[in-house]
Structure formats: C-alpha cells, structure tokens
Amino acid sequence: MKIIPSLLYASFFLGVSGMVPVTARAQVVNDMTTPLHLLKPDYKIPYGELTATQVKADIDRVFMYIDGHTPVRLVCDGKELTSYKKLPEGAELARGAFRIGSYEWGITYQALLEAARITGDVKYRDYVMRRLLFLSGVAPAFEKRDGDEIKDAQMEQILHPRALDDAGTMCTAMMKAQKENDRLGLDFLIDNYFDFVEKKQYRLPDGTFARHRPQRNTLWLDDMYMGIPTIAFRGVYDADSGMRYFDEAAKIYRQFVERMFLPEKGIYRHGYVEGLQQQPTYHWARANGWALLTTCELLDMLPEQHPQRSFVLNQLRKHVKGLAALQSSEGFWHQLLDRNDSYLETSATAIYVYCIAHAINKGWIEGITYGPVAQLGWQAVSTKITSDGKVEGTCVGTGMAFDPAFYYYRPANAQAAHGYGPVLWAGAEMIALLNRWHPRTNDSGLHYYSEKQSNPSPLFYLTEDGKGEAVK
C-alpha cells in the first residue's frame, strides 16, 4: 500500500498524542486547503503592477549613461578647440561611445524630445538642443573648400550623405527640434539631408526606396523607416507644400506594404528583391520594428481626412495583432520573430513597446487587449538596463541575408547604439500609458483598467464605482 507522506506525518503524531497539531494540518497544501490559482509563479521577469515612477528611474539611468558618453566639442591633436570659424588640419568631433550624427542618434533625439514632452523633465530636451546647436555651428566649417577633404568621418556622413541611413532620421529629428526652437539654425542641414532623401536616394520606377545591395533593386524595411517619416514630416514642417509630401509618403508606404507584408503571418519579411518569383522570408525583429514605427509616425503626421489614412490605420492593427501573437513568455520578441530558438532581442522589443503603447494612447488599438502586451515587453526591457544605464541584448548593425544562420548569429552588444533611442522612447510612452490606464493583477493575471481599481483583494469583480467587490 502506498503511504502518502503527509498522512504518515499525521499518523506519527496520532500515535504519540492521539491528535494532529494544528500546525501540522496547516502545512498540507492541496485544492481543498489552498487557493492554488493564487500561488505566486516563478516568473523570469517582473510581472504585475508597474508605476510611472519606476519607469522614469529606468530611463533616467539610460539618459545619464548616454549624456556622459556623447561629448559635444571639437578637438585637434588631443586639444579642445574653442572656435569654429577656421578649423586646423586634423580637427574632428570628440569621440564618445556613440556618434551624435548617426541614424541611431536621430532616433534617440526624437525619443528624448517626446520624453521631455511627456514627463516635463527639461534635461532630455536640453540634451537634444545642445547637440543639434553644436552641429549647426560646426558643420559650415567642415564644408569642403579648395579641394580639401573632410577627414572627420562623422561630419563627412552629415554633410555628404550617401544612403538613407545617413540622412533620414537625422533630418526628421532636426525638423522636429527646429519646430520646437527656431533659433537652432538647422535649415542648412535639414535641406541638405532632405535633398538627398527626396532627390538622390535610388528608387524603383514607382518611387519606392531601394538599394543595389545585397542584390540589385532590393527593398529593405529599414529604408521604409529611414525615408517615409522624413517625407511625411516635411509636410508638417513645410505647411504650404504639405499635401504633396503626405501623398508621396502614403504612396511609398503602401508600395512597401504590398511587397513585404505577409497577411497570413501578420508580419513583414526583412527584404524584397524586385523581379524574384520566390522572395526571401526571414522576419527579422528590428526590421519589423522599423515598419511598425513608420506606421505610427505616418499616422501621427497624416491629416485625419487624408484618403490613405484608413489603409495605414488598418495596417497598424494587422501588424500589432501579428506581433502580439509572437511575444515570448519572457516578454521579449525573438531575433527571428517566428523562430523560437533564435535569441531574445532588446531593441526590437523596445520599439514594439513604444508603438503599441503609443497606439493605445492615441486610441488606435484597445488598451484592454494590448496594454498587458506593452507592459510585459517593457518589464522585459527593464531587465536589460544595467545599474549604470547600459542597454544590453541589442543586435548590432545588421544587413540582409537569405539564410537563417546570418540572423541567428548576429552579435548582441551593449555598445550597439540601436538600443538606446528605442528604450528611451518606449519608457516615455509607457509613462504616458500609465498616466492614462491603471494596471492591476486580478486572479493573478495582469489587466488594464480605464478606472483605478481600489479593492485590495487579489480576486475581484468590477463595480460601477471602481471600488470592486472581492470574490469570496
């Protein structure tokens, strides 16, 4: 006969004293004695309640790190230069951990402007204004004169862009900043960038942005983001010609979607080669982030009455639905979205968090459905922010390939600049979300409520007054 240990334990005490002590009976945990559904799971990441104060502390650590590692000064032979009027041979931007004129930092500037607006913390905006004012001051001095070459690679990239990577997000960031502060003097740089995006970047005959790498006439989801929001925001920036730019941005957007979105999966392929009958179908996470971010930016910029707005909004909902179905149990998304044995990646997760939270805040998608998705993603991302503000787990810069090994083995590194802007943007938008919605656990599950639920019970019914009624 099989003896159940708890019964054997009770029998021992019966033999000694004739009764089972209360403490011994209380140790028995079963469906009759304990609400097992309320046992605390062993989550790998934080789960449950989250406050805006917690999120602000996280993004402040990231901010302090980038602020200390992105200097704004000119140097020559190790000495700081105080005048920009005539630069000596060998003058260059001081080196930090990140380039302050790269597309990754164009995203970071936009994220910080939004963080300042949401939180009211002016240090984020001051960071952006100081660096862009610096660039507007030094750029003219670096222009080529009398055949001299620009020896600083970052200034060469700024003044003579050769790809959408060089021009797009920095142009958008500068236009957004200039609209907030018209004394920045960025018009020269904005026009220089925009001229490349509009007139010099290679396109297919229908106007879709394309590259001749790795194959001829290749579309990258990356270019969807590097180009379309820039054109759309030009319509905001230059109101007299706005509709022309809105129309162009919406047209190119639709052409990317038609080629690269897979409706049966609800996600995008990373690349598309014009003319191929069998297209590559690798669903790189960060590239899908660029597509989703493009959609949110375009919705922010298009007028409400624009004829293509409903198409863009429906596309947002399709993409969010597809992505939500692929979120991992730890809150992250995988490097290759539909391959669960690929690693969990930080920058894409942060972009999705921003976009989903932003879409809820704008009323484009439902908070009850997607608020927990955004929060789970943020709580995952927060575990990758180190005590000194580095962002870990970010895939480094990545081109395009047509085999899985390329994506599986791309390195992840805390020095990859791609993680910082998305994390700051995601955190800021989560603060806005938490200021509008009220997350609570109910029967152990995280739920988003439009009204604050004050009932302290771990399991409660909703009531009209928001106080709730405990389940007994």
mmCIF file of all heavy atoms in Angstrom, residues 47-48 50 320 324 327 333 352-353 355-361 365-379 429-430 433-434 437-440 446-449:
data_model
loop_
_atom_site.group_PDB
_atom_site.id
_atom_site.type_symbol
_atom_site.label_atom_id
_atom_site.label_comp_id
_atom_site.label_asym_id
_atom_site.label_seq_id
_atom_site.Cartn_x
_atom_site.Cartn_y
_atom_site.Cartn_z
ATOM 1 N N TYR A 47 6.598 40.867 -13.042
ATOM 2 C CA TYR A 47 5.240 40.725 -13.566
ATOM 3 C C TYR A 47 4.275 41.356 -12.574
ATOM 4 O O TYR A 47 4.416 41.208 -11.369
ATOM 5 C CB TYR A 47 4.888 39.248 -13.751
ATOM 6 C CG TYR A 47 3.544 39.020 -14.412
ATOM 7 C CD1 TYR A 47 3.430 39.001 -15.791
ATOM 8 C CD2 TYR A 47 2.398 38.849 -13.642
ATOM 9 C CE1 TYR A 47 2.202 38.805 -16.401
ATOM 10 C CE2 TYR A 47 1.151 38.661 -14.241
ATOM 11 C CZ TYR A 47 1.061 38.638 -15.634
ATOM 12 O OH TYR A 47 -0.161 38.447 -16.231
ATOM 13 N N GLY A 48 3.288 42.064 -13.117
ATOM 14 C CA GLY A 48 2.276 42.649 -12.246
ATOM 15 C C GLY A 48 2.303 44.162 -12.262
ATOM 16 O O GLY A 48 2.583 44.781 -13.293
ATOM 17 N N LEU A 50 3.014 48.071 -12.110
ATOM 18 C CA LEU A 50 4.128 48.891 -12.576
ATOM 19 C C LEU A 50 3.716 50.343 -12.413
ATOM 20 O O LEU A 50 2.575 50.709 -12.685
ATOM 21 C CB LEU A 50 4.432 48.589 -14.045
ATOM 22 C CG LEU A 50 5.542 49.407 -14.712
ATOM 23 C CD1 LEU A 50 6.909 49.050 -14.144
ATOM 24 C CD2 LEU A 50 5.528 49.189 -16.227
ATOM 25 N N VAL A 320 0.161 44.829 -35.411
ATOM 26 C CA VAL A 320 0.180 44.664 -33.956
ATOM 27 C C VAL A 320 -0.403 43.310 -33.571
ATOM 28 O O VAL A 320 0.137 42.607 -32.701
ATOM 29 C CB VAL A 320 -0.595 45.808 -33.266
ATOM 30 C CG1 VAL A 320 -0.811 45.502 -31.787
ATOM 31 C CG2 VAL A 320 0.173 47.122 -33.409
ATOM 32 N N ALA A 324 1.759 40.578 -31.525
ATOM 33 C CA ALA A 324 1.332 40.176 -30.184
ATOM 34 C C ALA A 324 1.272 38.656 -30.071
ATOM 35 O O ALA A 324 1.577 38.088 -29.010
ATOM 36 C CB ALA A 324 -0.021 40.793 -29.855
ATOM 37 N N GLN A 327 4.855 37.219 -29.154
ATOM 38 C CA GLN A 327 5.616 37.627 -27.971
ATOM 39 C C GLN A 327 5.967 36.399 -27.131
ATOM 40 O O GLN A 327 5.158 35.501 -26.948
ATOM 41 C CB GLN A 327 4.804 38.616 -27.136
ATOM 42 C CG GLN A 327 5.574 39.232 -25.978
ATOM 43 C CD GLN A 327 4.755 40.297 -25.250
ATOM 44 O OE1 GLN A 327 3.517 40.249 -25.237
ATOM 45 N NE2 GLN A 327 5.432 41.268 -24.651
ATOM 46 N N TRP A 333 10.625 39.720 -27.787
ATOM 47 C CA TRP A 333 10.398 39.059 -29.068
ATOM 48 C C TRP A 333 11.721 38.469 -29.548
ATOM 49 O O TRP A 333 12.798 38.943 -29.188
ATOM 50 C CB TRP A 333 9.853 40.035 -30.093
ATOM 51 C CG TRP A 333 8.375 40.240 -30.005
ATOM 52 C CD1 TRP A 333 7.416 39.603 -30.746
ATOM 53 C CD2 TRP A 333 7.659 41.143 -29.151
ATOM 54 N NE1 TRP A 333 6.161 40.038 -30.398
ATOM 55 C CE2 TRP A 333 6.271 40.994 -29.421
ATOM 56 C CE3 TRP A 333 8.046 42.053 -28.167
ATOM 57 C CZ2 TRP A 333 5.290 41.720 -28.762
ATOM 58 C CZ3 TRP A 333 7.068 42.775 -27.501
ATOM 59 C CH2 TRP A 333 5.717 42.617 -27.791
ATOM 60 N N TYR A 352 8.577 47.803 -30.298
ATOM 61 C CA TYR A 352 7.195 47.330 -30.229
ATOM 62 C C TYR A 352 6.487 47.917 -29.012
ATOM 63 O O TYR A 352 5.305 48.286 -29.094
ATOM 64 C CB TYR A 352 7.143 45.803 -30.157
ATOM 65 C CG TYR A 352 7.803 45.069 -31.301
ATOM 66 C CD1 TYR A 352 8.186 43.738 -31.155
ATOM 67 C CD2 TYR A 352 8.059 45.677 -32.523
ATOM 68 C CE1 TYR A 352 8.791 43.044 -32.185
ATOM 69 C CE2 TYR A 352 8.682 44.993 -33.559
ATOM 70 C CZ TYR A 352 9.043 43.671 -33.383
ATOM 71 O OH TYR A 352 9.658 42.989 -34.401
ATOM 72 N N VAL A 353 7.180 47.973 -27.891
ATOM 73 C CA VAL A 353 6.580 48.548 -26.682
ATOM 74 C C VAL A 353 6.164 49.990 -26.950
ATOM 75 O O VAL A 353 5.038 50.401 -26.632
ATOM 76 C CB VAL A 353 7.545 48.477 -25.489
ATOM 77 C CG1 VAL A 353 7.020 49.305 -24.313
ATOM 78 C CG2 VAL A 353 7.754 47.030 -25.057
ATOM 79 N N CYS A 355 5.543 51.498 -29.824
ATOM 80 C CA CYS A 355 4.476 51.616 -30.817
ATOM 81 C C CYS A 355 3.135 51.139 -30.282
ATOM 82 O O CYS A 355 2.094 51.770 -30.534
ATOM 83 C CB CYS A 355 4.851 50.825 -32.073
ATOM 84 S SG CYS A 355 6.242 51.518 -32.995
ATOM 85 N N ILE A 356 3.128 50.036 -29.553
ATOM 86 C CA ILE A 356 1.865 49.521 -29.010
ATOM 87 C C ILE A 356 1.310 50.484 -27.961
ATOM 88 O O ILE A 356 0.117 50.810 -27.961
ATOM 89 C CB ILE A 356 2.066 48.107 -28.445
ATOM 90 C CG1 ILE A 356 2.385 47.127 -29.591
ATOM 91 C CG2 ILE A 356 0.822 47.648 -27.695
ATOM 92 C CD1 ILE A 356 2.799 45.746 -29.129
ATOM 93 N N ALA A 357 2.180 50.962 -27.069
ATOM 94 C CA ALA A 357 1.731 51.925 -26.056
ATOM 95 C C ALA A 357 1.233 53.212 -26.715
ATOM 96 O O ALA A 357 0.204 53.779 -26.312
ATOM 97 C CB ALA A 357 2.867 52.221 -25.076
ATOM 98 N N HIS A 358 1.947 53.668 -27.726
ATOM 99 C CA HIS A 358 1.560 54.899 -28.425
ATOM 100 C C HIS A 358 0.208 54.715 -29.115
ATOM 101 O O HIS A 358 -0.653 55.613 -29.065
ATOM 102 C CB HIS A 358 2.633 55.265 -29.446
ATOM 103 C CG HIS A 358 2.427 56.589 -30.115
ATOM 104 N ND1 HIS A 358 2.477 57.786 -29.437
ATOM 105 C CD2 HIS A 358 2.137 56.903 -31.409
ATOM 106 C CE1 HIS A 358 2.255 58.787 -30.281
ATOM 107 N NE2 HIS A 358 2.034 58.272 -31.479
ATOM 108 N N ALA A 359 0.020 53.558 -29.740
ATOM 109 C CA ALA A 359 -1.238 53.294 -30.435
ATOM 110 C C ALA A 359 -2.410 53.242 -29.457
ATOM 111 O O ALA A 359 -3.519 53.699 -29.775
ATOM 112 C CB ALA A 359 -1.137 51.990 -31.220
ATOM 113 N N ILE A 360 -2.174 52.695 -28.261
ATOM 114 C CA ILE A 360 -3.223 52.706 -27.228
ATOM 115 C C ILE A 360 -3.521 54.145 -26.804
ATOM 116 O O ILE A 360 -4.684 54.559 -26.703
ATOM 117 C CB ILE A 360 -2.795 51.874 -26.010
ATOM 118 C CG1 ILE A 360 -2.641 50.401 -26.377
ATOM 119 C CG2 ILE A 360 -3.815 52.025 -24.878
ATOM 120 C CD1 ILE A 360 -1.962 49.574 -25.306
ATOM 121 N N ASN A 361 -2.465 54.900 -26.539
ATOM 122 C CA ASN A 361 -2.647 56.286 -26.090
ATOM 123 C C ASN A 361 -3.385 57.137 -27.118
ATOM 124 O O ASN A 361 -4.109 58.075 -26.763
ATOM 125 C CB ASN A 361 -1.286 56.914 -25.774
ATOM 126 C CG ASN A 361 -0.685 56.371 -24.494
ATOM 127 O OD1 ASN A 361 -1.396 55.973 -23.578
ATOM 128 N ND2 ASN A 361 0.639 56.337 -24.417
ATOM 129 N N ILE A 365 -5.730 51.364 -31.064
ATOM 130 C CA ILE A 365 -5.963 49.986 -30.660
ATOM 131 C C ILE A 365 -6.456 49.992 -29.222
ATOM 132 O O ILE A 365 -6.369 51.016 -28.539
ATOM 133 C CB ILE A 365 -4.701 49.095 -30.802
ATOM 134 C CG1 ILE A 365 -3.558 49.636 -29.935
ATOM 135 C CG2 ILE A 365 -4.271 48.981 -32.258
ATOM 136 C CD1 ILE A 365 -2.307 48.766 -29.947
ATOM 137 N N GLU A 366 -6.968 48.859 -28.747
ATOM 138 C CA GLU A 366 -7.619 48.821 -27.451
ATOM 139 C C GLU A 366 -6.631 48.522 -26.316
ATOM 140 O O GLU A 366 -5.858 47.568 -26.385
ATOM 141 C CB GLU A 366 -8.731 47.777 -27.471
ATOM 142 C CG GLU A 366 -9.876 48.181 -28.395
ATOM 143 C CD GLU A 366 -10.923 47.102 -28.538
ATOM 144 O OE1 GLU A 366 -10.571 45.963 -28.887
ATOM 145 O OE2 GLU A 366 -12.116 47.408 -28.298
ATOM 146 N N GLY A 367 -6.744 49.324 -25.272
ATOM 147 C CA GLY A 367 -5.847 49.171 -24.136
ATOM 148 C C GLY A 367 -6.076 47.896 -23.351
ATOM 149 O O GLY A 367 -5.134 47.305 -22.821
ATOM 150 N N ILE A 368 -7.317 47.475 -23.251
ATOM 151 C CA ILE A 368 -7.596 46.243 -22.504
ATOM 152 C C ILE A 368 -6.888 45.059 -23.149
ATOM 153 O O ILE A 368 -6.329 44.197 -22.462
ATOM 154 C CB ILE A 368 -9.120 45.996 -22.418
ATOM 155 C CG1 ILE A 368 -9.770 47.051 -21.514
ATOM 156 C CG2 ILE A 368 -9.421 44.588 -21.913
ATOM 157 C CD1 ILE A 368 -11.295 46.960 -21.453
ATOM 158 N N THR A 369 -6.887 45.024 -24.479
ATOM 159 C CA THR A 369 -6.252 43.919 -25.199
ATOM 160 C C THR A 369 -4.736 44.023 -25.194
ATOM 161 O O THR A 369 -4.034 43.026 -24.953
ATOM 162 C CB THR A 369 -6.758 43.883 -26.652
ATOM 163 O OG1 THR A 369 -8.181 43.760 -26.647
ATOM 164 C CG2 THR A 369 -6.141 42.722 -27.421
ATOM 165 N N TYR A 370 -4.222 45.220 -25.453
ATOM 166 C CA TYR A 370 -2.793 45.343 -25.736
ATOM 167 C C TYR A 370 -1.974 46.021 -24.640
ATOM 168 O O TYR A 370 -0.746 45.998 -24.696
ATOM 169 C CB TYR A 370 -2.587 46.077 -27.066
ATOM 170 C CG TYR A 370 -3.057 45.263 -28.249
ATOM 171 C CD1 TYR A 370 -4.151 45.663 -29.010
ATOM 172 C CD2 TYR A 370 -2.402 44.082 -28.595
ATOM 173 C CE1 TYR A 370 -4.583 44.906 -30.101
ATOM 174 C CE2 TYR A 370 -2.825 43.326 -29.677
ATOM 175 C CZ TYR A 370 -3.920 43.743 -30.423
ATOM 176 O OH TYR A 370 -4.336 42.979 -31.497
ATOM 177 N N GLY A 371 -2.626 46.618 -23.638
ATOM 178 C CA GLY A 371 -1.862 47.200 -22.537
ATOM 179 C C GLY A 371 -0.955 46.186 -21.858
ATOM 180 O O GLY A 371 0.242 46.456 -21.640
ATOM 181 N N PRO A 372 -1.460 44.992 -21.514
ATOM 182 C CA PRO A 372 -0.589 43.990 -20.903
ATOM 183 C C PRO A 372 0.561 43.541 -21.809
ATOM 184 O O PRO A 372 1.636 43.205 -21.315
ATOM 185 C CB PRO A 372 -1.551 42.832 -20.610
ATOM 186 C CG PRO A 372 -2.891 43.484 -20.454
ATOM 187 C CD PRO A 372 -2.885 44.586 -21.468
ATOM 188 N N VAL A 373 0.339 43.554 -23.121
ATOM 189 C CA VAL A 373 1.409 43.191 -24.058
ATOM 190 C C VAL A 373 2.541 44.210 -23.980
ATOM 191 O O VAL A 373 3.725 43.857 -23.897
ATOM 192 C CB VAL A 373 0.862 43.106 -25.501
ATOM 193 C CG1 VAL A 373 1.979 42.873 -26.508
ATOM 194 C CG2 VAL A 373 -0.192 42.004 -25.608
ATOM 195 N N ALA A 374 2.170 45.497 -24.010
ATOM 196 C CA ALA A 374 3.174 46.558 -23.912
ATOM 197 C C ALA A 374 3.907 46.499 -22.576
ATOM 198 O O ALA A 374 5.138 46.614 -22.518
ATOM 199 C CB ALA A 374 2.521 47.922 -24.108
ATOM 200 N N GLN A 375 3.151 46.316 -21.487
ATOM 201 C CA GLN A 375 3.791 46.323 -20.169
ATOM 202 C C GLN A 375 4.722 45.131 -19.992
ATOM 203 O O GLN A 375 5.821 45.276 -19.450
ATOM 204 C CB GLN A 375 2.743 46.328 -19.063
ATOM 205 C CG GLN A 375 3.388 46.368 -17.674
ATOM 206 C CD GLN A 375 2.411 46.652 -16.567
ATOM 207 O OE1 GLN A 375 1.548 47.518 -16.698
ATOM 208 N NE2 GLN A 375 2.528 45.939 -15.465
ATOM 209 N N LEU A 376 4.288 43.954 -20.432
ATOM 210 C CA LEU A 376 5.165 42.790 -20.338
ATOM 211 C C LEU A 376 6.455 43.031 -21.115
ATOM 212 O O LEU A 376 7.547 42.689 -20.661
ATOM 213 C CB LEU A 376 4.449 41.548 -20.861
ATOM 214 C CG LEU A 376 5.218 40.226 -20.746
ATOM 215 C CD1 LEU A 376 5.453 39.849 -19.285
ATOM 216 C CD2 LEU A 376 4.478 39.112 -21.483
ATOM 217 N N GLY A 377 6.319 43.654 -22.292
ATOM 218 C CA GLY A 377 7.502 43.982 -23.073
ATOM 219 C C GLY A 377 8.412 44.959 -22.360
ATOM 220 O O GLY A 377 9.636 44.799 -22.345
ATOM 221 N N TRP A 378 7.812 46.000 -21.734
ATOM 222 C CA TRP A 378 8.648 46.963 -21.007
ATOM 223 C C TRP A 378 9.338 46.307 -19.826
ATOM 224 O O TRP A 378 10.524 46.545 -19.576
ATOM 225 C CB TRP A 378 7.839 48.165 -20.520
ATOM 226 C CG TRP A 378 8.717 49.008 -19.635
ATOM 227 C CD1 TRP A 378 8.712 49.064 -18.282
ATOM 228 C CD2 TRP A 378 9.821 49.817 -20.061
ATOM 229 N NE1 TRP A 378 9.719 49.880 -17.826
ATOM 230 C CE2 TRP A 378 10.423 50.355 -18.903
ATOM 231 C CE3 TRP A 378 10.343 50.155 -21.307
ATOM 232 C CZ2 TRP A 378 11.521 51.205 -18.959
ATOM 233 C CZ3 TRP A 378 11.446 51.009 -21.363
ATOM 234 C CH2 TRP A 378 12.012 51.525 -20.211
ATOM 235 N N GLN A 379 8.623 45.483 -19.088
ATOM 236 C CA GLN A 379 9.241 44.862 -17.924
ATOM 237 C C GLN A 379 10.376 43.933 -18.339
ATOM 238 O O GLN A 379 11.351 43.777 -17.607
ATOM 239 C CB GLN A 379 8.174 44.150 -17.086
ATOM 240 C CG GLN A 379 7.269 45.150 -16.382
ATOM 241 C CD GLN A 379 6.198 44.534 -15.506
ATOM 242 O OE1 GLN A 379 5.372 43.769 -15.980
ATOM 243 N NE2 GLN A 379 6.205 44.873 -14.228
ATOM 244 N N GLU A 429 6.799 56.539 -23.478
ATOM 245 C CA GLU A 429 5.417 56.250 -23.863
ATOM 246 C C GLU A 429 4.721 55.377 -22.828
ATOM 247 O O GLU A 429 3.507 55.490 -22.619
ATOM 248 C CB GLU A 429 5.379 55.589 -25.235
ATOM 249 C CG GLU A 429 4.025 55.677 -25.928
ATOM 250 C CD GLU A 429 3.625 57.098 -26.309
ATOM 251 O OE1 GLU A 429 4.517 57.931 -26.605
ATOM 252 O OE2 GLU A 429 2.409 57.392 -26.307
ATOM 253 N N MET A 430 5.480 54.512 -22.145
ATOM 254 C CA MET A 430 4.889 53.735 -21.061
ATOM 255 C C MET A 430 4.456 54.642 -19.916
ATOM 256 O O MET A 430 3.424 54.399 -19.278
ATOM 257 C CB MET A 430 5.882 52.683 -20.556
ATOM 258 C CG MET A 430 5.978 51.428 -21.408
ATOM 259 S SD MET A 430 4.414 50.544 -21.604
ATOM 260 C CE MET A 430 3.972 50.184 -19.898
ATOM 261 N N LEU A 433 1.245 55.978 -20.922
ATOM 262 C CA LEU A 433 0.224 54.930 -20.815
ATOM 263 C C LEU A 433 -0.213 54.737 -19.366
ATOM 264 O O LEU A 433 -1.406 54.631 -19.068
ATOM 265 C CB LEU A 433 0.772 53.625 -21.386
ATOM 266 C CG LEU A 433 -0.207 52.451 -21.488
ATOM 267 C CD1 LEU A 433 -1.302 52.753 -22.502
ATOM 268 C CD2 LEU A 433 0.529 51.167 -21.852
ATOM 269 N N LEU A 434 0.764 54.708 -18.465
ATOM 270 C CA LEU A 434 0.449 54.505 -17.050
ATOM 271 C C LEU A 434 -0.254 55.717 -16.434
ATOM 272 O O LEU A 434 -0.917 55.593 -15.399
ATOM 273 C CB LEU A 434 1.729 54.182 -16.272
ATOM 274 C CG LEU A 434 2.370 52.832 -16.624
ATOM 275 C CD1 LEU A 434 3.787 52.747 -16.064
ATOM 276 C CD2 LEU A 434 1.520 51.674 -16.113
ATOM 277 N N TRP A 437 -3.970 54.766 -17.933
ATOM 278 C CA TRP A 437 -4.551 53.478 -17.609
ATOM 279 C C TRP A 437 -4.067 53.011 -16.238
ATOM 280 O O TRP A 437 -3.093 53.540 -15.700
ATOM 281 C CB TRP A 437 -4.190 52.441 -18.677
ATOM 282 C CG TRP A 437 -4.906 52.655 -19.971
ATOM 283 C CD1 TRP A 437 -4.586 53.563 -20.950
ATOM 284 C CD2 TRP A 437 -6.066 51.964 -20.434
ATOM 285 N NE1 TRP A 437 -5.474 53.491 -21.991
ATOM 286 C CE2 TRP A 437 -6.395 52.502 -21.710
ATOM 287 C CE3 TRP A 437 -6.863 50.954 -19.911
ATOM 288 C CZ2 TRP A 437 -7.488 52.049 -22.447
ATOM 289 C CZ3 TRP A 437 -7.947 50.496 -20.647
ATOM 290 C CH2 TRP A 437 -8.261 51.040 -21.896
ATOM 291 N N HIS A 438 -4.743 51.985 -15.711
ATOM 292 C CA HIS A 438 -4.454 51.521 -14.357
ATOM 293 C C HIS A 438 -4.268 50.000 -14.359
ATOM 294 O O HIS A 438 -5.239 49.253 -14.245
ATOM 295 C CB HIS A 438 -5.594 51.918 -13.419
ATOM 296 C CG HIS A 438 -5.898 53.382 -13.445
ATOM 297 N ND1 HIS A 438 -5.159 54.305 -12.750
ATOM 298 C CD2 HIS A 438 -6.826 54.088 -14.135
ATOM 299 C CE1 HIS A 438 -5.628 55.513 -12.982
ATOM 300 N NE2 HIS A 438 -6.646 55.409 -13.830
ATOM 301 N N PRO A 439 -3.024 49.542 -14.488
ATOM 302 C CA PRO A 439 -2.789 48.094 -14.470
ATOM 303 C C PRO A 439 -2.960 47.511 -13.071
ATOM 304 O O PRO A 439 -2.525 48.109 -12.083
ATOM 305 C CB PRO A 439 -1.341 47.974 -14.964
ATOM 306 C CG PRO A 439 -0.704 49.286 -14.639
ATOM 307 C CD PRO A 439 -1.789 50.308 -14.738
ATOM 308 N N ARG A 440 -3.603 46.366 -12.985
ATOM 309 C CA ARG A 440 -3.783 45.649 -11.731
ATOM 310 C C ARG A 440 -3.776 44.156 -12.027
ATOM 311 O O ARG A 440 -4.226 43.720 -13.078
ATOM 312 C CB ARG A 440 -5.140 45.978 -11.101
ATOM 313 C CG ARG A 440 -5.144 47.037 -10.020
ATOM 314 C CD ARG A 440 -4.467 46.614 -8.732
ATOM 315 N NE ARG A 440 -5.029 45.424 -8.129
ATOM 316 C CZ ARG A 440 -6.066 45.402 -7.309
ATOM 317 N NH1 ARG A 440 -6.705 46.519 -7.003
ATOM 318 N NH2 ARG A 440 -6.470 44.260 -6.775
ATOM 319 N N LEU A 446 -2.403 40.029 -15.177
ATOM 320 C CA LEU A 446 -2.307 41.478 -15.342
ATOM 321 C C LEU A 446 -3.428 41.967 -16.250
ATOM 322 O O LEU A 446 -3.628 41.437 -17.343
ATOM 323 C CB LEU A 446 -0.953 41.852 -15.935
ATOM 324 C CG LEU A 446 -0.746 43.341 -16.243
ATOM 325 C CD1 LEU A 446 -0.725 44.144 -14.952
ATOM 326 C CD2 LEU A 446 0.541 43.559 -17.026
ATOM 327 N N HIS A 447 -4.141 42.996 -15.801
ATOM 328 C CA HIS A 447 -5.223 43.581 -16.594
ATOM 329 C C HIS A 447 -5.092 45.096 -16.592
ATOM 330 O O HIS A 447 -4.601 45.692 -15.630
ATOM 331 C CB HIS A 447 -6.591 43.178 -16.034
ATOM 332 C CG HIS A 447 -6.865 41.717 -16.177
ATOM 333 N ND1 HIS A 447 -7.396 41.169 -17.317
ATOM 334 C CD2 HIS A 447 -6.653 40.686 -15.317
ATOM 335 C CE1 HIS A 447 -7.513 39.863 -17.161
ATOM 336 N NE2 HIS A 447 -7.062 39.544 -15.966
ATOM 337 N N TYR A 448 -5.533 45.696 -17.680
ATOM 338 C CA TYR A 448 -5.545 47.150 -17.797
ATOM 339 C C TYR A 448 -6.987 47.648 -17.628
ATOM 340 O O TYR A 448 -7.908 47.165 -18.290
ATOM 341 C CB TYR A 448 -4.981 47.587 -19.146
ATOM 342 C CG TYR A 448 -3.515 47.967 -19.048
ATOM 343 C CD1 TYR A 448 -2.588 47.090 -18.497
ATOM 344 C CD2 TYR A 448 -3.062 49.205 -19.470
ATOM 345 C CE1 TYR A 448 -1.251 47.438 -18.377
ATOM 346 C CE2 TYR A 448 -1.724 49.568 -19.365
ATOM 347 C CZ TYR A 448 -0.827 48.679 -18.815
ATOM 348 O OH TYR A 448 0.487 49.027 -18.692
ATOM 349 N N TYR A 449 -7.144 48.632 -16.719
ATOM 350 C CA TYR A 449 -8.453 49.196 -16.412
ATOM 351 C C TYR A 449 -8.438 50.690 -16.713
ATOM 352 O O TYR A 449 -7.460 51.387 -16.429
ATOM 353 C CB TYR A 449 -8.808 48.961 -14.948
ATOM 354 C CG TYR A 449 -8.937 47.497 -14.586
ATOM 355 C CD1 TYR A 449 -7.930 46.852 -13.864
ATOM 356 C CD2 TYR A 449 -10.050 46.769 -14.972
ATOM 357 C CE1 TYR A 449 -8.037 45.510 -13.537
ATOM 358 C CE2 TYR A 449 -10.171 45.424 -14.649
ATOM 359 C CZ TYR A 449 -9.165 44.795 -13.933
ATOM 360 O OH TYR A 449 -9.282 43.466 -13.619
#
